[in-house]
Amino acid sequence: MPVSTAPHRSYTVEDFTDLINARLQQLERRKEAQQRFGTLLVVLRQQVDAYRQRHTAN
């Protein structure tokens, strides 16, 4: 079994903290985008429902 000769990277607590914070920020941005998109979809659905009601009333 070959032994890895790659230099070992030593991670600091700060490295992990930065990584965790970056991932959390990505998740927050994604969640915000999903909420905005969800709100847009709700508005579109309301518009379509209103259009269909007007259309079927005629």
Side-chain angles (χ1 to χ4, degrees), residues 36-54:
R36 282 196 299 272
F37 186 62
T39 301
L40 177 63
L41 287 177
V42 168
V43 170
L44 282 172
R45 187 175 61 192
Q46 289 170 345
Q47 295 287 322
V48 169
D49 288 345
Y51 171 80
R52 285 169 54 199
Q53 285 174 358
R54 283 196 313 269

Side-chain angles (χ1 to χ4, degrees), residues 29-40:
R29 284 196 298 268
R30 186 176 302 154
K31 195 163 63 179
E32 287 170 15
Q34 286 174 336
Q35 286 171 346
R36 282 196 299 272
F37 186 62
T39 301
L40 177 63

Side-chain angles (χ1 to χ4, degrees), residues 11 13-26:
Y11 292 96
V13 174
E14 286 77 18
D15 291 333
F16 281 114
T17 302
D18 290 344
L19 180 65
I20 291 167
N21 285 337
R23 289 287 185 262
L24 283 173
Q25 285 175 345
Q26 286 177 351

Side-chain angles (χ1 to χ4, degrees), residues 6-12 15:
H8 290 284
R9 167 93 162 86
S10 59
Y11 292 96
T12 66
D15 291 333

